């Protein structure tokens, strides 16, 4: 009935159990491994089967992202990555998400604008940033409802207002690296709002 290659360790015996076992002719039961080890091995088998479904390139991307995150944490003065984010950081992120739509500015070179011009001249770039939760209109609520009911499926539509320029600054003129004169219109925001 039992395979001879298996090894069984006897259960720890007490004086009363040794008397009972000597009187019975039942074989000793195999010793179970602790539940924590079984849970650990099942997690390992789940993770190994999960990792087998990824390609080698995807695993490399995952590892490089984790290494980059770890090095950023080490460079910022952290000694280890927290397993669970602190509640305070969650509140800060929530507050940052609900900043109202406002005009911001940044001084950049013309080359950094990404318009294809090569120039070392700097310009004041004004842009709109923030959320528009308070500006929901009937249109936005109805559009959201239609999307949730799958009436609108494939079109790319936004069911909430977006922080965008309402008006633009004057045209911006500059010389490029080859001494050619250019004028760009509607480059910087002058006024922002929820559209």
């Amino acid at each position: 009935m039992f395979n001879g290659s298996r090894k069984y360790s006897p259960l720890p015996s007490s004086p009363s159990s040794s008397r009972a076992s000597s009187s019975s002719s039942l074989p000793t039961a195999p010793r179970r491994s602790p539940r924590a080890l079984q849970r650990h091995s099942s997690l390992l088998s789940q993770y190994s089967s999960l990792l087998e479904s990824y390609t080698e390139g995807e695993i490399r991307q995952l590892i490089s992202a984790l290494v980059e995150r770890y090095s950023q944490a080490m460079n910022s003065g952290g000694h280890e990555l927290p397993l669970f984010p602190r509640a305070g950081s969650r509140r800060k992120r929530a507050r940052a998400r609900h900043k109202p739509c406002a005009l911001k500015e940044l001084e950049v070179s013309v080359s950094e604008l990404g318009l294809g011009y090569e120039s070392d001249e700097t310009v004041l770039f004004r842009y709109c940033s923030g959320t528009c939760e308070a500006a929901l209109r009937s249109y936005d609520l109805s559009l959201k409802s239609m999307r949730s009911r799958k009436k609108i499926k494939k079109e790319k539509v936004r069911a909430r207002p977006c922080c965008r320029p309402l008006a633009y600054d004057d045209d911006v003129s500059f010389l490029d690296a080859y001494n050619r004169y250019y004028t760009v219109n509607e480059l910087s925001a002058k006024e922002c709002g929820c559209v």
Side-chain angles (χ1 to χ4, degrees):
M1 181 160 88
F2 290 106
N3 187 350
S5 63
R6 287 188 179 172
K7 293 182 181 179
Y8 298 101
S9 59
L11 294 171
S13 60
S14 64
S16 62
S17 67
S18 63
R19 275 181 259 133
S21 65
S22 64
S23 65
S24 70
S25 62
L26 293 175
T28 58
R31 186 175 197 163
R32 285 183 77 184
S33 59
R35 290 186 190 269
L37 291 177
Q38 286 178 344
R39 190 178 312 129
H40 182 67
S41 66
S42 69
L43 280 175
L44 285 176
S45 63
Q46 286 176 0
Y47 281 121
S48 65
S49 64
L50 176 70
L51 288 176
E52 286 172 359
S53 67
Y54 287 104
T55 64
E56 185 178 333
E58 291 172 331
I59 292 174
R60 284 183 179 167
Q61 281 181 326
L62 173 67
I63 291 171
S64 66
L66 290 172
V67 167
E68 183 179 338
R69 179 185 274 181
Y70 180 75
S71 65
Q72 286 174 351
M74 295 301 286
N75 291 337
S76 66
H79 297 293
E80 60 185 46
L81 289 174
L83 292 176
F84 302 103
R86 292 180 304 229
S89 62
R90 184 179 294 160
R91 274 187 236 115
K92 286 178 189 173
R93 284 196 309 269
R95 269 182 278 163
R97 264 187 255 132
H98 295 293
K99 288 186 177 178
C101 181
L103 184 68
K104 305 221 173 168
E105 60 185 40
L106 188 63
E107 191 172 322
V108 294
S109 72
V110 172
S111 299
E112 291 175 313
L113 291 172
L115 299 174
Y117 302 109
E118 292 182 41
S119 177
D120 294 332
E121 287 193 44
T122 59
V123 293
L124 194 61
F125 179 69
R126 292 187 179 94
Y127 63 98
C128 301
S129 174
T131 58
C132 295
E133 300 297 328
L136 287 174
R137 297 174 181 90
S138 300
Y139 167 82
D140 303 309
L141 296 172
S142 298
L143 186 61
K144 187 175 183 179
S145 174
M146 293 301 115
R147 287 180 66 197
S148 68
R149 293 172 188 220
K150 307 279 192 240
K151 298 275 186 184
I152 300 173
K153 295 178 184 174
K154 294 186 179 182
E155 293 100 347
K156 287 193 173 186
V157 292
R158 286 186 72 96
R160 63 174 190 225
C162 184
C163 183
R164 298 275 302 157
L166 299 176
Y168 291 93
D169 250 346
D170 296 332
D171 297 344
V172 175
S173 298
F174 58 90
L175 283 173
D176 71 356
Y178 309 104
N179 289 328
R180 289 180 289 208
Y181 189 77
Y182 290 98
T183 301
V184 179
N185 58 356
E186 294 186 348
L187 178 66
S188 284
K190 184 177 186 179
E191 181 185 348
C192 297
C194 294
V195 180

